[in-house]
Amino acid sequence: MSKFIAKPAFSLAGNLQIPGDKSISHRAIMLGALADGITKISGFLQGEDVLSTLKAFAAMGVKIEQNADKVTIYGVGIFGLKRPEKPIDLGNSGTSVRLISGILVAQDFDSELIGDASLSKRPMGRVIEPLSKMGALISSSNGKLPLKITGGQALNAIDYQLPVASAQVKSCILLAGLYARGRTCITEPAPTRDHTERMLRGFGQQVNSSGNSICLTGKAKLTPTQIQVPADISSAAFFMVAASIAKTADITLPAVNINPTRTGIIEILQLMGAKISLTNQAEIGGELIADIRICNSKLKGINIPEALVPLAIDEFPAIFIAAACATGETILTGAKELRVKESDRIQAMADGLEILGIKNSVLADGIKITGGELQKPSAIIQSHADHRICMAFAVASARCQHPIEIADVDNVKTSFPNFVELANAAGMVIEG
Ligand code: S3P
């Protein structure tokens, strides 16, 4: 089984180009495929999750050329997809399944979505329920993969109150709404990442956002465009934490996406006392970017404001490492969504922190972590094949006196294929 051995590293420096944003890369492929004509993408993330999305549309007859981070999509229009010859395998990617299901329910062909062992355990009822309300026909056992979709259904718009703060569910309904008769409106319990709304506007689709409600009118036509994908703040987060906990550090991460629905990591680390500054703010293709500079700091434990949870939902494994290196207690509540990510991230992190000698207590919807010294591990840390658990424990080596061994790290390729290379360029010593 693959593993990382992350050796102690105390001094980090450099200017690190973080790869493209995963959420934006997925959406660029999807909307590009549904547009009428050619869309060109640069800065595309070459991670397995987005490659699953790319292959799914290629399997539905969309010509897509990829050359490293440059992608050209020959869009077929919203009704131009072809029946795939076999079930579409979306690997480890929850975003692919949830968003693509919103498109497939409106096609005139049948389809089936499958995934790997982790994805097959994740809840899909959250998309089946609203899509069925719109008139979709989906069968699954227990709300899990495989999803069998019967095509040829006419969709009606809905007015839907999201029960969970989920950008994936919101985006799924918005995509189905493109095909529906009437005006689809979604109200979120709290703001979540709004890349779908922004990008739909970039493709010429009117999307109205007001307070926590988002509406669009169906029977759409998307106009192709050019998309420059900014660096992914969720990948940048590992270096923000590494630099914050290291003995000495001065790291700059250029042109990172700072969409306000994604910047919870910056706010949480700043509340903990991190030294983070943003310069060169600009806008590219409807998304905000900035250079982020992080220096070493003395972190203190905090009560993480619940309003920040959806805005940092993927960053908690890294934030828990920051909490482990902070003075005092950090308390997270209102985050039970973490239990249904690529792994149960509350339990997986709690177990790993325990191995490193960090006291913590698991709550139904969060965790309490008491900062301390990271000790020599008495056992190997189990990542549960979750990319973000692997990278979180790898950057803990910026504070640990002993090597940290992490098992089952292959899935780091799903979101951050050159993580080890960049980490080592910054001064970390990660073998694997
Ligand atoms: C994503 C939304 C989030 C996030 C996931 C990517 C997206 O999931 O965890 O990694 O691209 O829409 P939820 O919206 O289900 O919280």
Side-chain angles (χ1 to χ4, degrees), residues 1 11 37 62 99 105 117 130 146 163 184 208 210 266 306 316 371 386 394 419:
M1 194 183 275
S11 177
V62 183
L99 272 60
V105 290
T184 294
N208 298 102
S210 155
I266 298 178
E306 287 196 7
F316 285 103
D386 182 334
F419 167 72

Side-chain angles (χ1 to χ4, degrees), residues 22-24 26-27 95 98-99 122 126 165-169 171 192-193 195-196 313-314 337 341-342 345 388:
K22 180 154 79 74
S23 295
I24 296 176
H26 278 298
R27 288 156 171 83
T95 307
R98 267 76 173 251
L99 272 60
R122 297 180 66 188
R126 53 183 59 196
S166 165
Q168 293 182 349
V169 181
S171 303
T192 65
R193 68 190 67 191
H195 305 300
T196 305
I313 194 67
D314 288 340
E337 274 296 296
K341 294 295 178 188
E342 286 83 329
R345 288 185 173 158
R388 299 202 198 277

Side-chain angles (χ1 to χ4, degrees), residues 36 90 135 166-167 181 188 204 384 394 408:
D36 287 286
L90 295 166
S166 165
R181 204 177 45 200
E188 311 186 85
H384 302 273
D408 208 356

